[in-house]
């Protein structure tokens, strides 16, 4: 007997699992249980060194932020970006090889051209823009105001680190917000603003280039040729910028400058989960609770039957693979690129879990009775 689709609880439209049959429901619940158990691998993953919390030790706790602040101050004083960055990285015993160990000059030059109060204001405005864009998107995804407010609170929880003004020199902060804004304004057939914001993110932090490739690949699979071409053009612009950047870095690097130890951390899925817990409001929860909640959010993005949900899920999986395979303990901040949206899926998971569980527990059978007269 074909099972009737259940009416949605929170979602405006039925979840991806609303009409799943009993056998599919049991398989789905088993896979969800495996995902939640897999998140507990976080206990087998190493943890980055904890910050002391002592303001006097900020140079140690936030060494990267201090480095970028120093570079911005020197560029503001009139120095060439590449000379300033090379000197600062040498002084801080940072590697200068390969060229990607030095950030693109975009953010430093913008911040050097603005007074510090303007930089902080711009950061808060960008945070507000992300909230507004996603409120508009959530208004069509969730049927009632209370679930929308919960989803917005989850978005705010993912942005906990992004409203800290002292992290403004950190490139992942801006790139992560721009990726979230790009996804928030994306619509089928209305992709130009999304491409523009995505390119801006990648020109600030080149690792956001994976987002450009991912969005272009999904558009290609869906047969959206013009959108595919737009993402390809954005990726090409980034490639040209990186070539120019590599040339400029080569001009200031010395033979004895340090080289990067590489990016073959291979800490696994648990490290990705730990990274997301550290980068969001889950940091205040015990790890045994934070890890499954993040797993539930991944499931929620799948449960939301919308093209945007698939894109966010693909983004989280892609950066999860990058962190699991290549992330080092001192590069856990890569997770900030996807942190803003990492918890919102919990709001979509409610309907998905209900639908799978309802299907799994459905034991109705058809009994055929033959009457003989």
């Amino acid at each position: 007997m074909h099972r009737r689709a259940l009416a949605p609880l929170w979602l405006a439209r039925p979840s991806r699992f609303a009409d799943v049959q009993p056998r599919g429901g049991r398989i789905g619940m088993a896979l969800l249980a495996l995902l939640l158990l897999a998140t507990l691998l976080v206990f087998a993953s190493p943890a980055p060194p904890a910050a002391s919390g002592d303001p006097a030790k900020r140079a140690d706790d936030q060494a990267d932020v201090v480095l970028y602040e120093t570079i911005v101050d020197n560029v503001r004083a009139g120095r060439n970006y590449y000379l300033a960055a090379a000197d600062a990285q040498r002084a801080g015993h940072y590697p200068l090889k390969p060229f990607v160990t030095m950030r693109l000059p975009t953010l430093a030059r913008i911040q050097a051209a603005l007074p510090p109060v303007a930089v902080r204001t711009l950061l808060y405005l960008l945070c507000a823009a992300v909230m507004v864009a996603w409120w508009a998107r959530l208004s069509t995804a969730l049927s009632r105001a209370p679930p929308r407010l919960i989803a917005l609170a989850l978005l705010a929880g993912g942005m906990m680190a992004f409203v800290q003004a002292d992290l403004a020199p950190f490139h992942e902060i801006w790139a992560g917000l721009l990726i979230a804004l790009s996804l928030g304004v994306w619509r089928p057939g209305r992709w130009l603003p999304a491409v523009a914001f995505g390119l801006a993110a990648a020109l600030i932090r080149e690792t956001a280039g994976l987002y450009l490739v991912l969005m272009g690949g999904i558009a290609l699979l869906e047969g959206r040729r013009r959108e595919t071409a737009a993402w390809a053009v954005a990726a090409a612009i980034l490639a040209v910028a990186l070539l120019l950047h590599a040339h400029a870095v080569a001009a200031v690097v010395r033979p004895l400058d340090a080289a990067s130890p590489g990016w073959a951390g291979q800490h696994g899925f648990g490290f990705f989960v730990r990274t997301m817990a550290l980068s969001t409001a889950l940091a205040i929860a015990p790890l045994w609770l934070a890890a499954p909640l993040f797993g539930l959010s991944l499931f929620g993005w799948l449960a939301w039957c919308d093209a945007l949900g698939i894109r966010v899920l693909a983004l989280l999986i892609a950066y999860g693979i990058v962190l699991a395979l290549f992330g080092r303990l001192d590069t856990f901040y890569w997770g900030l690129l996807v942190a803003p949206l990492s918890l919102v899926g919990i709001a979509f998971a409610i309907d998905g879990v209900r639908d799978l569980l309802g299907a799994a527990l459905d034991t109705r059978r058809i009994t055929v009775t033959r009457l003989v007269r």
Side-chain angles (χ1 to χ4, degrees), residues 67 70-76 78-91 96 102 108 252:
L67 169 69
T70 301
I71 295 171
V72 169
D73 289 341
N74 285 321
V75 174
R76 185 178 286 127
R79 287 203 71 193
N80 172 271
Y81 168 78
Y82 288 97
L83 292 174
D87 287 346
Q89 289 183 214
R90 286 190 195 101
L96 280 161
M102 185 182 293
V252 298

Side-chain angles (χ1 to χ4, degrees), residues 92-164:
H93 305 290
Y94 284 85
L96 280 161
K97 303 173 186 176
F99 73 94
V100 290
T101 57
M102 185 182 293
R103 298 291 182 261
L104 287 163
T106 313
L107 184 62
R109 286 175 173 167
I110 291 173
Q111 292 189 343
L114 298 173
V117 65
V119 172
R120 291 192 295 270
T121 302
L122 190 60
L123 176 64
Y124 296 145
L125 287 175
L126 184 54
C127 289
V130 172
M131 298 290 282
V132 170
W134 272 95
W135 173 256
R137 196 66 183 85
L138 293 169
S139 295
T140 62
L142 298 166
S143 57
R144 293 175 289 114
R148 292 175 207 156
L149 292 172
I150 291 173
L152 201 67
L154 291 168
L155 176 64
M159 294 169 56
M160 184 177 68
F162 295 77
V163 294
Q164 299 179 36

Side-chain angles (χ1 to χ4, degrees), residues 170-352:
F170 215 62
H171 298 73
E172 281 77 6
I173 291 292
W174 297 87
L177 288 172
L178 286 166
I179 288 175
L181 182 57
S182 173
L183 286 164
V185 300
W186 180 88
R187 302 288 189 280
R190 293 170 52 193
W191 37 261
L192 189 57
V195 174
F197 288 128
L199 177 58
L203 290 176
I204 287 175
R205 186 65 168 104
E206 71 281 354
T207 47
L210 177 58
Y211 169 67
L212 304 180
V213 174
L214 191 68
M215 291 292 281
I218 295 175
L220 179 63
L221 291 174
E222 293 179 347
R224 305 178 190 274
R225 295 183 180 179
R226 294 182 64 186
E227 182 180 349
T228 302
W231 290 108
V233 168
I237 293 172
L238 174 62
V240 171
L242 286 173
L243 285 173
L244 295 173
H245 178 62
H247 178 74
V249 173
V252 298
V253 171
R254 300 169 184 169
L256 297 180
D257 283 331
S260 169
W263 294 274
Q266 298 184 358
H267 294 307
F269 179 66
F271 183 66
F272 171 50
V273 176
R274 183 181 290 274
T275 294
M276 301 317 299
L278 290 172
S279 303
T280 65
L282 291 178
I284 65 176
L287 205 53
W288 59 263
L289 176 61
L293 282 176
F294 175 64
L296 194 63
S297 182
L298 291 177
F299 168 77
W301 284 114
L302 177 62
W304 183 28
C305 192
D306 190 277
L308 182 56
I310 291 298
R311 281 163 168 78
V312 176
L313 178 63
L315 179 74
L316 290 167
I317 291 174
Y319 279 94
I321 292 172
V322 169
L323 278 160
L325 295 180
F326 306 111
R328 303 192 310 254
L329 293 185
D330 59 345
T331 60
F332 71 94
Y333 53 80
W334 291 354
L336 292 171
L337 289 170
V338 294
L341 301 178
S342 61
L343 304 183
V344 180
I346 294 173
F348 303 136
I350 303 300
D351 284 60

